[in-house]
Amino acid sequence: MAKRKTEAFAPVYDEFNSFISKADVVPVTSGRFFPYDECMVMMITGKVADMLKPIQNSLYERWNIEEYIAENMPLHLIRARMIEKAAEVLVDNEFCTRRVVALGPIEATRRHVSDLIELRRVHAHYKDSGLVDLNLNIVDAIQEGSACIIDEVIRQSQDPTKSVNVAICLSTIGEGLIKAKQPRDASQRLDEAASLYRELLGQGHIDVARAVNAVAKSLVKINETRAALIRFGEASSTYEDCNASHHFDSIANLQGMANLFVTSGDFQAATALYENVISRKKSVHGEFSVVTAKTINDYAVILAK
């Protein structure tokens, strides 16, 4: 029932959905699709938005219009097929300022990253299908949009050189750039985040280990195998220093290093690491768990080579 496509709020009346009266069911129409996002763009950018400015203060407690615009405007533009306009908004300094002020630095960064990823996805879809004639360099747009929100978070931080918000912003942007298929830029941002985490929290902190592990995974994406192995090893040592060797992230870090050794052809090192991973997963998940069984199966594949 949850997967049924219907334009009514109530599900289609049938023998399984008899908890409502048949007369109350809104019929499914075959008419024109309602352009919801197009209408929302008109609402928050046109005359209606200008009319609402004088009464913003009275509406603040009931419906924060500014917060809604800062959170959802780019997504409405993307879904309304206004791709180039959405890109302009995401690289606009004034909009980034409004977004950080309205949502806070962490949530603003997450929303910005989500919008940039969606922008790339929709841009690729329309470019392949030829539905919309686009004159947009999507790589430059994502780079400029990422830099714009980072600069704004740094500007609004009390101490930009030592701010956890800036570190979280950098790591969030880095992970988003990986999803947006720009791993080289992602590696740079994640490395900056790891350095800042290390300075703020000290070497023996689990968040430092996670940040270094993220750098290692980004280096794998750009085929920097040697540098990635060094980073995986650094993250592993940090997990050991903070007594988190049996943490899920620590085990995943070891398995990532083992897989990289397999890729580089060093099966002896990979075998030793896989035995360590299996031992830790047995102690954490249990000897007869599905997670342990999958790892043993991966290890068997390596032995077969």
Side-chain angles (χ1 to χ4, degrees):
M1 186 177 74
K3 295 181 180 179
R4 179 183 291 120
K5 294 181 179 180
T6 174
E7 297 180 22
F9 288 104
V12 176
Y13 183 89
D14 56 29
E15 58 180 333
F16 300 106
N17 299 313
S18 57
F19 48 84
I20 57 174
S21 170
K22 190 171 184 178
D24 294 333
V25 176
V26 180
V28 178
T29 64
S30 57
R32 184 178 179 273
F33 175 74
F34 182 71
Y36 172 76
D37 291 290
E38 289 84 343
C39 291
M40 288 304 300
V41 169
M42 293 172 61
M43 288 282 290
I44 61 182
T45 61
K47 293 183 179 180
V48 176
D50 296 333
M51 292 167 57
L52 289 174
K53 284 182 181 179
I55 58 173
Q56 170 69 19
N57 292 332
S58 63
L59 285 175
Y60 187 86
E61 294 297 329
R62 289 177 290 168
W63 183 40
N64 190 337
I65 301 171
E66 175 65 16
E67 182 177 340
Y68 184 87
I69 292 173
E71 183 176 359
N72 297 299
M73 183 176 175
L75 187 59
H76 283 310
L77 288 168
I78 293 170
R79 290 179 176 175
R81 298 187 180 184
M82 302 171 69
I83 310 300
E84 295 178 5
K85 184 63 178 178
E88 290 178 13
V89 169
L90 289 170
V91 302
D92 183 69
N93 292 325
E94 182 181 351
F95 177 77
C96 288
T97 300
R98 293 172 62 183
R99 183 165 248 186
V100 174
V101 170
L103 304 179
I106 297 175
E107 182 60 25
T109 304
R110 289 173 179 166
R111 291 297 307 181
H112 215 73
V113 168
S114 176
D115 290 338
L116 289 171
I117 293 172
E118 181 67 9
L119 180 69
R120 183 181 182 93
R121 187 191 68 80
V122 174
H123 176 270
H125 171 70
Y126 288 150
K127 189 175 181 181
D128 294 339
S129 62
L131 294 175
V132 180
D133 185 19
L134 296 174
N135 184 21
L136 173 66
N137 188 326
I138 190 63
V139 175
D140 289 345
I142 292 175
Q143 289 177 343
E144 291 175 20
S146 300
C148 183
I149 197 69
I150 290 172
D151 291 342
E152 190 56 39
V153 171
I154 291 174
R155 192 181 69 81
Q156 295 192 30
S157 297
Q158 294 180 350
D159 187 358
T161 59
K162 294 184 178 180
S163 170
V164 174
N165 286 340
V166 175
I168 295 173
C169 173
L170 288 169
S171 60
T172 304
I173 289 291
E175 292 170 2
L177 287 171
I178 290 178
K179 294 179 180 178
K181 299 180 181 180
Q182 295 183 210
R184 195 167 296 277
D185 295 324
S187 178
Q188 179 184 350
R189 297 302 185 187
L190 290 169
D191 193 37
E192 293 172 3
S195 299
L196 192 52
Y197 273 124
R198 191 181 293 107
E199 183 179 353
L200 292 168
L201 306 175
Q203 179 63 33
H205 196 283
I206 193 168
D207 285 332
V208 175
R210 287 173 176 148
V212 176
N213 173 261
V215 176
K217 290 189 286 188
S218 68
L219 290 169
V220 172
K221 295 285 187 180
I222 57 177
N223 298 321
E224 293 285 350
T225 304
R226 191 177 190 85
L229 286 172
I230 293 173
R231 290 294 191 171
F232 275 127
E234 184 182 342
S236 181
S237 299
T238 305
Y239 281 120
E240 297 286 347
D241 292 342
C242 55
N243 297 319
S245 59
H246 283 69
H247 192 277
F248 300 110
D249 293 334
S250 176
I251 298 172
N253 179 77
L254 272 182
Q255 191 162 356
M257 192 191 306
N259 292 334
L260 195 56
F261 274 124
V262 172
T263 304
S264 61
D266 191 346
F267 295 104
Q268 185 175 357
T271 298
L273 281 176
Y274 258 106
E275 290 177 353
N276 194 346
V277 169
I278 291 170
S279 174
R280 294 187 187 188
K281 284 194 174 183
K282 284 181 179 179
S283 64
V284 174
H285 300 283
E287 184 176 358
F288 302 105
S289 66
V290 175
V291 176
T292 304
K294 287 182 177 179
T295 307
I296 294 173
N297 181 70
D298 295 338
Y299 182 40
V301 172
I302 293 172
L303 292 176
K305 294 182 179 181

